[in-house]
Amino acid sequence: MQEISNGLPAELLVEAGDDGVLVLRLNRPDVRNALSIALRDSLSATVERACEHRDTKAIVITGVGSTFSAGFDLSEFQAAADDADVHTRLWASSDRFHHTFLRCAVPIVCALNGPAIAGGFDLATMCDMRIAQPGVFFRRPEVDFGVPLFGPLRELVGGALARELCLTVRKVELDEALRVGLVNEVAGDGEAFDRAMAIASMIARRPVELVRRTKAKIVGMSGIAASSTLAI
């Protein structure tokens, strides 16, 4: 596994394997891997490049530390309230981030190393598969002040539960997440990343054109339009 810098901020670690698996690590453990504008833009740019290169066959995304992601960086929302430029950058970054992941041509496996909260919950649902480990839970506290993604969650768990989780702040514990299809598999303690890598490597061994054609069907059926994410 070779680490790639490409001038990216240290808060995103990128590693490329010889087997075509690209690893993305959210590296802001001091703020529970909060998704800042810079981190979202770095993720978007990296995934966009991966889609352009046929040698990238699968992507694994995980977090550093004990939390997968606590969601968008709330300090930037506070700054955006007083600064029009920050407000514009924040929402442009958000739209690019959501569409890049939802329309990605490469399969993405999420290795949940800890809780997925708010925008971190959304990021997990935008991936193709989710591998969890003990300590993982899901929660959407942002519904008290914002609008969460609905479509990707509905596709995973169905309309009734998606409506409940988008309209309340109820926590989804790991056993329920597995039962309702929010996660595909629960690995052993500390083993989510290794299991996600094994699955990504399995995908990478398949003919890349067939995998990408399958992923294109998944994207097409999701009905994500290349416009604003506010309707998703």
Side-chain angles (χ1 to χ4, degrees):
M1 191 72 70
Q2 179 182 2
E3 186 170 338
I4 302 173
S5 63
N6 290 333
L8 295 173
E11 60 190 35
L12 176 64
L13 305 179
V14 183
E15 301 169 348
D18 294 335
D19 59 354
V21 177
L22 186 70
V23 176
L24 309 180
R25 299 180 189 269
L26 310 178
N27 187 35
R28 302 186 74 202
D30 54 325
V31 288
R32 300 192 297 167
N33 294 324
L35 298 164
S36 63
I37 293 172
L39 179 52
R40 292 198 305 274
D41 286 349
S42 294
L43 283 165
S44 297
T46 304
V47 171
E48 288 165 358
R49 283 194 297 271
C51 292
E52 294 171 357
H53 297 290
R54 295 297 194 194
D55 55 351
T56 301
K57 300 176 181 178
I59 297 170
V60 171
I61 183 166
T62 191
V64 174
S66 59
T67 301
F68 172 65
S69 175
F72 282 22
D73 192 328
L74 296 184
S75 67
E76 293 180 341
F77 282 84
Q78 296 168 354
D82 301 317
D83 189 320
D85 179 62
V86 175
H87 183 275
T88 298
R89 288 172 50 225
L90 188 152
W91 290 111
S93 169
S94 174
D95 274 350
R96 180 189 181 192
F97 170 69
H98 289 128
H99 281 292
T100 297
F101 273 83
L102 288 168
R103 298 165 67 88
C104 179
V106 180
I108 306 175
V109 183
C110 179
L112 290 157
N113 57 295
I117 303 166
F121 190 159
D122 287 339
L123 175 55
T125 64
M126 292 191 295
C127 297
D128 295 293
M129 297 181 66
R130 285 148 300 282
I131 309 302
Q133 63 189 32
V136 168
F137 65 82
F138 299 83
R139 189 165 177 265
R140 294 190 117 146
E142 83 276 22
V143 301
D144 284 340
F145 55 84
V147 180
L149 293 187
F150 177 74
L153 180 61
R154 179 188 60 183
E155 187 176 16
L156 296 178
V157 303
L161 182 56
R163 292 181 191 202
E164 178 186 349
L165 297 180
C166 286
L167 292 170
T168 73
V169 297
R170 183 172 73 79
K171 180 191 291 188
V172 181
E173 299 287 2
L174 187 54
D175 57 347
E176 181 184 4
L178 180 63
R179 186 176 69 253
V180 301
L182 186 52
V183 300
N184 299 86
E185 182 179 324
V186 177
D189 193 16
E191 296 177 357
F193 177 75
D194 289 342
R195 180 57 184 151
M197 285 296 293
I199 292 171
S201 296
M202 183 189 310
I203 294 170
R205 289 194 294 270
R206 296 188 58 236
V208 64
E209 291 301 328
L210 294 181
V211 171
R212 290 203 174 204
R213 284 166 59 187
T214 300
K215 183 63 193 283
K217 285 188 177 184
I218 295 169
V219 172
M221 290 296 292
S222 69
I224 304 302
S227 57
S228 172
T229 56
L230 294 179
I232 297 175

